[in-house]
Amino acid sequence: MSSVESSRSYVRYRVIFACMLMAVLLYLDRFCISFAEVFIKDELGLTDHQIGILLGSFFVSYALCQVPSGWFSDRFGARKMLTLYILMWSLFTALTGFATGFIMLLIFRLGFGLSQAGAYPTSANIVSKWMPLTERGFASSMVTVGGRIGGALAPVLTAFLIILFVPISESSDLKPGALLQPHQLASTFLKRVDEKQTFESEVYAQLPPADQEFLKSAAADPKMPSGSAEEDKFINDLNQILQNASLYNPQEYAGMKLNQQAEQLLTINSADMTPEEKSRLNRLLFEARYYNDVRKVQGQGWRKMMMTYGVIGIFIAAIFWWIIRDYPRAHPSCSEQELELIEHGRLEEDKDHSKQIGGIPFKAIAMNKSLWLLSLSQFCTNVGWLFLVTWLPRYLDETYRVPLETRGKMVTFALAVGWFGTLSGGKVTDWLMRRISLRWSRVLPIALSRFTAMAAYLVCMLDISPWTAVAMFSIVAFSTDFGSPAMWAFNQDIAGKHVGSVLGWGNMWGNLGAAVAPVLMIAVIGLDHHWNYAFITCAIAFLIAGVASLWVDPAQTLVVETSEEEAETETPES
């Protein structure tokens, strides 16, 4: 007994952990730009329409490259291909920090999407080869939850890094061009001077007459161009005042959301503040009073944040290469007991990895009715879900004026709830397979979770508090993720040796939905940002997703012609 026990191995769990770690990086890199977009928009002078194109462009290349990149992994091996994919998307993440305009950002986002396209199809390939049939749901949920962990970490970690890279010791001075809307700022400023508000009154009293005239001219002329010599002089003189004055009046900030760093600085006695701390506090107070009209000082950290994520990716790629092999019999640490457990119940042809597959089975994929229905469900699911990782930070900002750090925590909380949805969805999927049937173990988790997400979005249309809204978004995240393991398991059920291609097909349609979603939301929300229209759209999308999934049947396996199935070429060593 002792010799048998000592020969047991659990390599499959290390393999799943490596895939999970990869997925953390996948979503961390993917959605950090959504939280930094307000700073990128300000610095590069982008419009909301351009931001929508950038957020959607990733999903275009990501979606269209799903099937080819999945096939590359099926054909040439998951280990080498996914390591390459990780290195490629990390490079494009780092390059984003060097972007100087819209076109460069667009090119980098398209390249980023192309590089990330093979991540989940390749992971599904690995799960199908490394996990017993009865553990596919849970193993798939572990990989998926890795992505959700990365998505949940992205807001709070991105905010932390952006602030970290703009320390108080760095200048808090306004730079030329920092006034995003000179007319709006000047109008509000002079109105508050007339109302004798402390901040504006003290600043105005210290401004030279020429600067006071600039404010009057800007307030009177909505078409005044930005970047004039008068504006630059005003900014320079304003910096001198912000460096030295004590401008905080508690009554004027009652009910106003302040940056967390500003709140921390306010705990310091004014007499004990360093010049750098006083300058930073005044700059943050100024930003709070003119939030939409002035560039944010902490926005200077977004470039270094992108470069940092890129470097982290190199280390993740090395860990992945060290742990992974293409299939269990290629791993030197995998025991015979573990091999027997993994291969139990499989068809003989699924155990044979000595031959490479042929081309992409497009005909077989196109003829599978259940795969089309699941693809429609994935398309609509992503239309509804993407709001959480693209527009939710801005919704919380504009509707409730939630500060940067609190926004990060709220979005992180909502997405983190999805972790439990993924893990419980995997367990329920495997439980339903053992207790009811293969078909309903796939259908029920997908369909019911979509209807629940629909209901949560409808509640968001009511007059609710910020944290109640976050609770509803948490239900959306939980519901969406609850059905993900069943989707993965379905693709593995029907695909045979073409798991990468088949999962890539479904992911392609899902991410075409994600590509459409940002532009669709801009059109639906409109210039006045009618958020309820967005919630109605998301609810309808989840309704369609739930109805389509009711007719999915994993018994409809992929029928691949013999000429397409295999090439009599030996599989390269892994």
Side-chain angles (χ1 to χ4, degrees):
M1 177 64 69
S2 59
S3 62
V4 173
E5 290 293 334
S6 63
S7 64
R8 286 182 179 175
S9 64
Y10 300 92
V11 179
R12 64 189 185 279
Y13 297 126
R14 298 208 306 265
V15 169
I16 296 305
F17 172 76
C19 291
M20 183 179 175
L21 190 62
M22 174 281 303
V24 173
L25 178 72
L26 181 83
Y27 270 67
L28 190 63
D29 286 358
R30 183 181 302 181
F31 292 124
C32 64
I33 195 170
S34 298
F35 208 76
E37 59 94 4
V38 63
F39 304 122
I40 298 172
K41 176 176 177 285
D42 286 354
E43 181 176 335
L44 301 183
L46 305 180
T47 65
D48 280 344
H49 181 66
Q50 288 175 317
I51 290 294
I53 291 174
L54 286 173
L55 294 177
S57 64
F58 158 80
F59 293 102
V60 172
S61 59
Y62 181 76
L64 296 179
C65 294
Q66 286 282 313
V67 176
S69 59
W71 175 80
F72 275 124
S73 296
D74 288 340
R75 180 66 184 269
F76 299 109
R79 185 191 188 201
K80 63 172 67 73
M81 293 311 303
L82 192 44
T83 301
L84 177 62
Y85 295 152
I86 295 171
L87 291 173
M88 286 177 61
W89 88 59
S90 298
L91 172 64
F92 282 112
T93 300
L95 287 175
T96 301
F98 294 94
T100 58
F102 174 71
I103 298 301
M104 285 184 69
L105 276 175
L106 182 60
I107 292 171
F108 294 153
R109 289 302 289 174
L110 289 170
F112 182 78
L114 181 153
S115 305
Q116 286 206 339
Y120 274 168
T122 306
S123 297
N125 178 313
I126 293 170
V127 169
S128 69
K129 291 177 180 176
W130 273 93
M131 299 305 294
L133 297 176
T134 55
E135 296 181 18
R136 280 182 175 177
F138 182 69
S140 298
S141 74
M142 292 301 295
V143 180
T144 305
V145 83
R148 296 308 189 236
I149 290 172
L153 283 176
V156 67
L157 184 57
T158 298
F160 170 77
L161 288 174
I162 287 174
I163 293 171
L164 178 69
F165 290 130
V166 190
I168 291 178
S169 59
E170 189 167 317
S171 174
S172 300
D173 285 354
L174 293 154
K175 303 294 191 297
L179 306 188
L180 302 175
Q181 301 184 71
H183 167 72
Q184 182 64 35
L185 184 145
S187 299
T188 305
F189 191 98
L190 292 177
K191 178 182 178 182
R192 290 173 174 172
V193 170
D194 292 338
E195 294 171 352
K196 301 187 184 308
Q197 295 193 31
T198 302
F199 189 100
E200 284 76 14
S201 296
E202 292 195 14
V203 170
Y204 189 78
Q206 297 179 58
L207 287 172
D211 293 331
Q212 296 177 359
E213 286 301 317
F214 163 77
L215 286 172
K216 294 174 182 177
S217 299
D221 184 7
K223 297 183 179 180
M224 174 180 283
S226 182
S228 65
E230 292 81 4
E231 180 183 316
D232 290 346
K233 181 180 182 305
F234 167 75
I235 290 174
N236 183 64
D237 293 336
L238 179 60
N239 283 330
Q240 299 300 314
I241 298 170
L242 296 180
Q243 286 173 5
N244 303 302
S246 294
L247 302 170
Y248 179 68
N249 183 346
Q251 284 89 8
E252 292 181 358
Y253 288 89
M256 184 180 293
K257 302 288 187 179
L258 287 178
N259 179 289
Q260 185 173 329
Q261 190 175 74
E263 292 179 343
Q264 292 171 346
L265 290 170
L266 286 170
T267 64
I268 304 173
N269 188 291
S270 179
D272 298 330
M273 278 188 176
T274 65
E276 291 80 9
E277 289 172 337
K278 183 172 290 188
S279 178
R280 176 60 59 87
L281 174 60
N282 284 334
R283 170 68 183 266
L284 294 174
L285 294 175
F286 184 63
E287 289 178 7
R289 298 181 74 79
Y290 300 94
Y291 189 81
N292 296 316
D293 306 325
V294 63
R295 186 165 293 154
K296 316 301 180 292
V297 64
Q298 290 168 338
Q300 300 170 31
W302 72 269
R303 294 184 181 275
K304 292 179 181 177
M305 174 270 295
M306 289 289 183
M307 297 173 201
T308 300
Y309 285 148
V311 172
I312 292 173
I314 298 173
F315 292 99
I316 301 297
I319 293 172
F320 186 87
W321 177 264
W322 176 56
I323 293 177
I324 294 290
R325 298 296 185 274
D326 289 338
Y327 51 90
R329 291 194 177 274
H331 204 294
S333 301
C334 199
S335 69
E336 284 299 323
Q337 285 80 6
E338 186 171 18
L339 288 171
E340 183 179 348
L341 177 64
I342 292 171
E343 295 177 351
H344 179 71
R346 294 175 187 261
L347 299 174
E348 287 301 318
E349 55 265 31
D350 291 337
K351 300 178 185 179
D352 182 9
H353 302 287
S354 64
K355 298 176 181 178
Q356 290 182 337
I357 64 168
I360 301 172
F362 281 118
K363 182 178 178 181
I365 289 173
M367 296 294 290
N368 193 292
K369 176 184 174 182
S370 285
L371 191 54
W372 277 109
L373 287 169
L374 191 66
S375 298
L376 173 61
S377 181
Q378 288 182 259
F379 181 94
C380 294
T381 293
N382 271 11
V383 169
W385 176 78
L386 203 76
F387 182 91
L388 302 184
V389 291
T390 51
W391 296 106
L392 180 53
R394 187 179 292 195
Y395 167 75
L396 294 173
D397 179 19
E398 294 187 359
T399 304
Y400 301 108
R401 297 309 298 268
V402 178
L404 174 65
E405 293 82 359
T406 307
R407 283 206 308 276
K409 293 174 183 176
M410 284 181 159
V411 176
T412 295
F413 177 84
L415 295 176
V417 172
W419 307 355
F420 302 100
T422 302
L423 294 174
S424 58
K427 285 291 188 181
V428 169
T429 296
D430 290 340
W431 183 86
L432 288 172
M433 180 179 174
R434 293 191 298 268
R435 297 298 180 90
I436 302 179
S437 69
L438 176 65
R439 180 169 185 265
W440 290 109
S441 72
R442 283 26 175 174
V443 171
L444 288 178
I446 302 171
L448 295 180
S449 61
R450 272 54 189 160
F451 296 143
T452 305
M454 174 193 71
Y457 266 125
L458 294 177
V459 173
C460 289
M461 297 173 61
L462 304 177
D463 185 14
I464 55 180
S465 69
W467 277 106
T468 303
V470 170
M472 292 302 103
F473 294 128
S474 300
I475 292 174
V476 172
F478 180 94
S479 302
T480 303
D481 292 351
F482 187 88
S484 294
M487 285 187 172
W488 275 52
F490 168 83
N491 285 297
Q492 292 159 355
D493 294 336
I494 71 168
K497 292 188 176 182
H498 297 273
V499 174
S501 298
V502 170
L503 192 121
W505 177 265
N507 268 8
M508 176 184 73
W509 289 104
N511 286 283
L512 285 175
V516 168
V519 178
L520 175 63
M521 287 301 147
I522 288 177
V524 168
I525 294 169
L527 295 176
D528 296 328
H529 290 187
H530 297 292
W531 295 106
N532 278 355
Y533 295 165
F535 300 147
I536 293 173
T537 302
C538 292
I540 292 173
F542 274 114
L543 173 64
I544 297 172
V547 171
S549 64
L550 288 172
W551 280 272
V552 165
D553 186 358
Q556 297 178 5
T557 56
L558 208 67
V559 180
V560 184
E561 295 179 4
T562 305
S563 59
E564 292 182 282
E565 183 65 39
E566 294 176 342
E568 298 295 330
T569 307
E570 294 297 318
T571 303
E573 290 296 323
S574 297

